[in-house]
Amino acid sequence: MAEQVDVVVIGMGPGGEHVAGRLAEAGLSVVGVEAELVGGECPYWGCVPSKMMIRAGNLLAEARRVPGMAGAARVEPDWAPVAGRIRDEATDDWNDQVAADRFTGKGGRLARGRGRLAGPGRVVVDGPGGGEFQARLGVVVATGTKPSVPPVPGLSEVPFWTNRDAIAAKEPPRSLTVLGGGAIGLELAQVFARFGTRVEVVEAMDGLLPSEEPEAGELLAKVLRRDGVVARTGARATGVRHHGDTFTVTLESGNDVTADRLLVATGRRVDLTGLGLETVGLDPRARALPVDARLLAAPGLWGVGDVTGHGAFTHVAMYEAEIVVRAVLGEPGPAADYRALPRVTFTDPEVGAVGLTERQAREKGLRVRTGLAQVPSSARGWIHKAGNEGLVKLVEDVDRGVLVGATTIGPAGGEVMYGLAVAVQAGVPVEALRHMVYAYPTFHRGVEDALADLRSGDTPE
């Protein structure tokens, strides 16, 4: 007989843990199911430890900028404090006891194992905390994503790194090939390069950060080149082999790229197989769990986070989690709205972006006008000098006179993006943005320069 509970949450990453904890605090009987670590990818192998690595790499870069600005400096990279901080402060050496206790302390029950649906509201957990549960109010699926490994001949046969291996590295490799020029690949490539690793990035698309504005990829390519990173774009891998201590990636051009380590950072994918979705009438072969604006996938079944396909970001998972909490508790609140979806690539400079890129806006049939401003040409950028690379790009829907997207690159690109995210979300008229007061001298004052460039542009036909 299945045990009767109120809610079962399958997957205790950031979104799942938030749903489960909030509902348990509300007095419901909640079972959280997790096969790995409570907290998920973000605190153990993603957002938190990677930003610790990035912080360390940025400190080295800043020290190297002292000559000509503030005297002299000698920099000797040491990976040991980075590895130690990741183990001691971020991950507790990949032990989730604190997170598990946090959840059970709210009144929840943790079931260790893999959960799968066995019909409406019914969940079977295979593992040490196994059992069968019948959820009176519903089930939440929050199983996240896994690294997407491209079908390159030979790749599946070699001991390549994923982001997890890179995060857990006790020392930087002497050389590293990175397959993938997206956010994860570039962040890790820059960090290791700043600690002395010889790094080459191989990206099949024609530019870095291919999902963002092309200006972002072009700028990062120049900056990474100064860090010693070789970026090969439009370079498709056709084979991989491993012999001794050397990985060799053969490119479509016939050239080989060799290194001591190979990091595969070609994106992440949803895997719905094994969840038993067919028992509730859903397709386990789908690319993502189909949900409506209230995150409902089927009667009494919700999806949260990466699994919904709305973006592999912790902030999206937390946003969706609150919508599901309200739905389960019967509380009022708005449906999901992804018009102003923010994202940040934490390279140096940071790349903040919100809403649509210019290409995406045009593909939607919008009449578009863009404005561009260079951070080094602004007062704050000129003052900042070393390390001041960046730009602000605005995308306007001319017919409505509002911004539908923006990109802010610079020393604080992710922070500058916030104000533009508000403008996109609220549909603030561009004319109103032009008549705001922008503090001087700040990085965000570059938005005013981009608005001036937006005005001077030709109106699309």
Side-chain angles (χ1 to χ4, degrees), residues 56-70:
N58 289 354
L59 284 171
L60 293 176
E62 279 293 281
R64 290 168 179 145
R65 291 165 181 156
V66 167
M69 293 280 291

Side-chain angles (χ1 to χ4, degrees), residues 125-195:
V125 179
D126 301 314
E132 189 169 344
F133 304 94
Q134 182 67 44
R136 288 183 287 263
L137 298 180
V139 176
V140 180
V141 175
T143 47
T145 52
K146 60 177 59 176
S148 178
V149 180
V152 178
L155 182 57
S156 62
E157 302 164 16
V158 304
F160 61 83
W161 272 4
T162 67
N163 64 297
R164 290 190 173 191
D165 302 290
I167 293 295
K170 292 185 176 180
E171 58 184 29
R174 290 176 300 175
S175 56
L176 174 70
T177 299
V178 180
L179 277 187
I184 296 173
L186 295 187
E187 288 177 358
L188 293 174
Q190 187 176 52
V191 166
F192 282 119
R194 288 178 166 181
F195 275 88

Side-chain angles (χ1 to χ4, degrees), residues 339-397:
R339 287 173 302 152
L341 180 66
R343 60 259 180 209
V344 182
T345 299
F346 290 90
T347 45
D348 174 19
E350 288 182 358
V351 180
V354 61
L356 303 176
T357 63
E358 178 183 356
R359 177 182 56 80
Q360 291 168 339
R362 294 189 189 282
E363 288 175 349
K364 286 181 173 290
L366 301 180
R367 291 202 310 139
V368 168
R369 180 164 48 203
T370 63
L372 190 68
Q374 300 292 334
V375 169
S377 299
S378 69
R380 180 61 182 275
W382 177 78
I383 293 167
H384 197 79
K385 197 175 180 179
N388 67 353
E389 296 88 355
L391 58 84
V392 177
K393 181 175 181 179
L394 308 179
V395 181
E396 178 190 7
D397 176 351

Side-chain angles (χ1 to χ4, degrees), residues 307-321:
V307 74
T308 67
H310 294 135
F313 305 109
T314 294
H315 48 274
V316 171
M318 300 295 282
Y319 170 76
E320 292 181 337

Side-chain angles (χ1 to χ4, degrees), residues 59-320:
L59 284 171
L60 293 176
E62 279 293 281
R64 290 168 179 145
R65 291 165 181 156
V66 167
M69 293 280 291
R74 179 181 176 183
V75 181
E76 295 183 4
D78 182 1
W79 188 256
V82 183
R85 190 178 181 206
I86 288 171
R87 278 164 173 74
D88 298 339
E89 297 179 31
T91 68
D92 285 340
D93 204 13
W94 290 276
N95 183 308
D96 69 347
Q97 192 60 54
V98 171
D101 291 346
R102 180 173 61 230
F103 171 56
T104 56
K106 294 176 180 179
R109 173 179 166 186
L110 180 61
R112 300 277 188 181
R114 298 197 176 277
R116 54 184 170 86
L117 294 163
R122 189 173 291 263
V123 176
V124 174
V125 179
D126 301 314
E132 189 169 344
F133 304 94
Q134 182 67 44
R136 288 183 287 263
L137 298 180
V139 176
V140 180
V141 175
T143 47
T145 52
K146 60 177 59 176
S148 178
V149 180
V152 178
L155 182 57
S156 62
E157 302 164 16
V158 304
F160 61 83
W161 272 4
T162 67
N163 64 297
R164 290 190 173 191
D165 302 290
I167 293 295
K170 292 185 176 180
E171 58 184 29
R174 290 176 300 175
S175 56
L176 174 70
T177 299
V178 180
L179 277 187
I184 296 173
L186 295 187
E187 288 177 358
L188 293 174
Q190 187 176 52
V191 166
F192 282 119
R194 288 178 166 181
F195 275 88
T197 300
R198 178 179 62 80
V199 181
E200 291 195 46
V201 175
V202 176
E203 169 56 53
M205 302 293 284
D206 288 334
L208 301 178
L209 283 189
S211 62
E212 300 296 350
E213 296 283 10
E215 291 89 345
E218 292 164 6
L219 192 154
L220 282 185
K222 291 192 296 185
V223 172
L224 289 170
R225 191 158 48 245
R226 288 202 293 271
D227 279 323
V229 177
V230 175
R232 299 172 182 262
T233 56
R236 188 174 300 278
T238 58
V240 175
R241 59 188 187 275
H242 178 245
H243 179 71
D245 295 329
T246 303
F247 290 85
T248 302
V249 177
T250 299
L251 305 181
E252 197 170 48
S253 63
N255 294 327
D256 285 343
V257 179
T258 61
D260 294 339
R261 293 289 181 184
L262 172 63
L263 169 63
V264 176
T266 47
R268 301 185 67 83
R269 65 180 181 87
V270 174
D271 183 6
L272 299 178
T273 59
L275 283 175
L277 292 177
E278 65 279 1
T279 68
V280 294
L282 297 175
D283 185 1
R285 298 165 300 177
R287 297 185 64 180
L289 184 66
V291 295
D292 65 13
R294 301 283 176 178
L295 286 310
L296 194 66
L301 179 68
W302 288 270
V304 162
D306 296 8
V307 74
T308 67
H310 294 135
F313 305 109
T314 294
H315 48 274
V316 171
M318 300 295 282
Y319 170 76
E320 292 181 337

